[in-house]
Amino acid sequence: MTARASVDEPGLGTDRPTGPHPPRGVLHDIWVIARRGLIHMKRQPEQLSDATIQPIMFVVLFAYVFGGAIKVGGSGTAQQYREFLMGGIIAQTIVFSAFGVAMSIANDRKNQAVDRFRSLPIARGAVLGGHAVANLIKAALPIALMSITGYIVGWRIRGSALDTLAAYGLTFAFAFAMIWIGVLLGSVVKTPEGVTGIAFAALFPITFVASTFVPLNSMPSLLQTVAAWNPTTTLSDGLRGLFGNPTSVAQPDDPWPMHHPVAYTWIWVGLIVFLCAPLAVRAYQRSIEA
Amino acid sequence: MTASNAVEAVGLLKRYDQKVALAGVDLTVPTGSVTALLGPNGAGKTTAVRILTTLTSPDAGRATVAGFDIVEHGPEVRRRIGLAAQDATVDPLLTGVQNLVMIGELHQMSRADARARATELLHEFDLTDASNATAGSYSGGMRRRLDLAATLVARPEVLFLDEPTTGLDPRARNDLWEVLETLVGHGVSILLTTQYLEEADRLADDIVVVDHGRVIAHGDARSLKRQVGGDNIGVTVSRPDELATVGDLLSGVTGTTATIDRSARTATAPTVQGVVGLAEVANALSQAGIEVEDLSLRQPTLDEVFLTLTGAPAVTDAEKAPNKETVPS
């Protein structure tokens, strides 16, 4: 450390440049930027509540308010609905996580944080990587809280340990894919306000025209077809299957995705990561270089 | 190895769609000196800074910063610069310390070094008491100081300050000028942009005047002021009928033509003699027994500079309202 000569002469340190520091690698830079994302979550009451109170509330509300009215599984009891609910509510949370990413991207551009980062000697891709890591951690928190709350209200994992691992693996793979949807949205839409509008207009139908909270056979047939091909449905049912919980029972004449929900969801993960992510990165680059 | 010029730019050209932001700008900042880019809004100042800090690439022209080509060696340039953008870009949700530590770590310093440096800088910039408060709770002046501290974390060779005092009240501006002067004393090379001749005059060794993406004048403050006719001596009299006498007297001392404003009972004439000229005018006035209400020496405003250099007043985009009149000279 540079010792200061006197109080009168503030040693701004610039008189003795130590020279630039050697790069510490992309992972270091990603983690520094991810930490900032986590501090953001902590300091924004609405984000913090989205990640903590809201998931707990949803599980409790759906379990006790809708639980008695919606009949699923063999016996159609409230207990059966609570087990049905968990796969859906986890899926909904993951799909909505795209919104948080889009907001971070749009806000960074709005308050010029992007410019500051870009004037620093950081590794290529570190800013997006930081957003991605922060978002995966942000998604893990509500998933954990919901799982615990679910357990308290009577949800039980009845599948094997390996299947459980596969379920949470699929959850995080889908969360990773949704990051790129968020990046694309946050890059293409000009303002954070615009992001909010588009996100809600798009995300509500995607998460509700699906087997998220109700079995498909309760919907009109056109909606049933749409919902059957909706990856939110197959993510929900894939998780239910792996957890050994009741699913939206696949009829013999249901479309292919309903019979292979896990495989179909993985195809979506692949499609989004390999097709949407490059588009998202390009859109992001274009949005920040203007 | 230190390059003899901290910034060297030749023929920088940048277009946004059809609009030309920079129309071939040459610019040099000698190492260890301060150069001010002076001009109204929309003159291309920010575009020049964005190009030199590698945020955007020029459509034509070349530039080196700290000896490295901005297009070919962007990463090397970024390791050696600090940028304070026009709106302070500190993170409002992070505390003062967290902001500086993050910047330090992204400058590839170790966490411990970054922390020590942050503490040191927060002290220098008089922010120690606020170091654990979120930057969003800071006043405008504090945010600026934090922003400036952030640019210094990694001890840059070249600093880019885009309108560092815009939006500050006069007192905060004065405080910031003192900070900037200290920096200059430590030998950092600085390119700053400003809309205020006073600011450029006080801080910079060289002033480059830009308008519509072109350099329209450059030199040190003194030569530039000579180009625009120097300071203005203004005399406000009690009795309007003495204005003509005062005008002649002013012209006599300064050797320039005095302008007379009857409604303000004021005669004004440019001078390059500064305070000496003012003293002579004061003498002459008292010998002639003229009753004076106000006697002033003031720098030409940016508007007056532009009037002289371009024959047109500096019109900023914000001021292009149809009803706004520009006062003819």
Side-chain angles (χ1 to χ4, degrees), chain B residues 233-238 246 264-267 278 281 285 291-298:
Chain B
I233 295 180
V235 182
T236 307
V237 295
S238 314
V246 172
R265 299 197 311 277
T266 300
L278 186 68
V281 170
L285 284 170
E291 200 177 310
V292 173
E293 269 184 10
D294 187 59
L295 177 62
S296 67
L297 178 73
R298 61 169 184 81

Side-chain angles (χ1 to χ4, degrees), chain A residues 50-199:
Chain A
D50 280 359
T52 55
I53 299 166
Q54 195 176 301
I56 295 173
M57 204 174 65
F58 264 49
V59 171
V60 174
L61 278 181
F62 274 87
Y64 291 103
V65 177
F66 295 99
I70 305 170
K71 305 280 178 252
V72 293
S75 57
T77 59
Q79 167 66 22
Q80 292 257 288
Y81 182 72
R82 283 172 207 170
E83 300 209 358
F84 173 84
L85 171 69
M86 288 306 294
I89 212 160
I90 289 175
Q92 190 212 23
T93 305
I94 293 304
V95 172
F96 261 96
S97 70
F99 170 60
V101 182
M103 283 303 277
S104 314
I105 299 277
N107 275 323
D108 269 10
R109 200 171 56 240
K110 185 185 176 191
N111 57 34
Q112 298 187 12
V114 169
D115 279 355
R116 165 133 272 165
F117 286 139
R118 291 179 63 230
S119 73
L120 295 171
I122 56 178
R124 251 183 106 79
V127 176
L128 278 186
H131 278 301
V133 170
N135 193 63
L136 282 179
I137 296 172
K138 281 185 204 173
L141 182 65
I143 297 299
L145 287 172
M146 284 191 302
S147 300
I148 294 166
T149 315
Y151 186 84
I152 294 169
V153 302
W155 170 60
R156 291 294 177 271
I157 295 175
R158 302 182 194 282
S160 68
L162 210 63
D163 279 350
T164 306
L165 209 63
Y168 283 108
L170 182 62
T171 302
F172 284 101
F174 208 83
F176 181 74
M178 288 313 287
I179 287 167
W180 303 108
I181 304 275
V183 171
L184 188 61
L185 186 63
S187 305
V188 173
V189 182
K190 298 223 154 37
T191 62
E193 295 73 23
V195 168
T196 314
I198 290 182

Side-chain angles (χ1 to χ4, degrees), chain A residues 234-264:
Chain A
T234 59
L235 177 59
S236 307
D237 277 319
L239 295 178
R240 288 167 185 145
L242 291 168
F243 286 137
N245 296 146
T247 61
S248 319
V249 185
Q251 308 296 331
D253 59 340
D254 275 344
W256 186 83
M258 292 298 288
H259 293 280
H260 305 90
V262 176
Y264 180 75

Side-chain angles (χ1 to χ4, degrees), chain A residues 2 4 10-14 21-22 24 28-29 35-36 40 43 112 115-118 120-121 290, chain B residues 50 55 78-79 83 87 89 91 93 98 103 105-109 117 123-124 147 151 155 186:
Chain A
T2 332
R4 273 206 308 283
L12 289 162
T14 32
H21 301 261
R24 294 159 68 90
H28 165 267
D29 295 352
R35 270 204 329 255
R36 160 183 170 270
H40 281 182
R43 299 251 163 83
Q112 298 187 12
D115 279 355
R116 165 133 272 165
F117 286 139
R118 291 179 63 230
L120 295 171
Chain B
R50 288 181 65 84
L55 293 181
R78 289 191 283 274
R79 291 168 74 176
L83 164 66
D87 306 303
T89 55
D91 194 316
L93 293 171
Q98 285 170 334
I103 301 289
E105 287 189 279
L106 291 177
H107 263 293
Q108 316 299 322
M109 296 161 79
R117 183 77 177 135
H123 178 71
E124 310 300 1
D147 197 39
T151 66
R155 299 183 166 85
H186 283 266

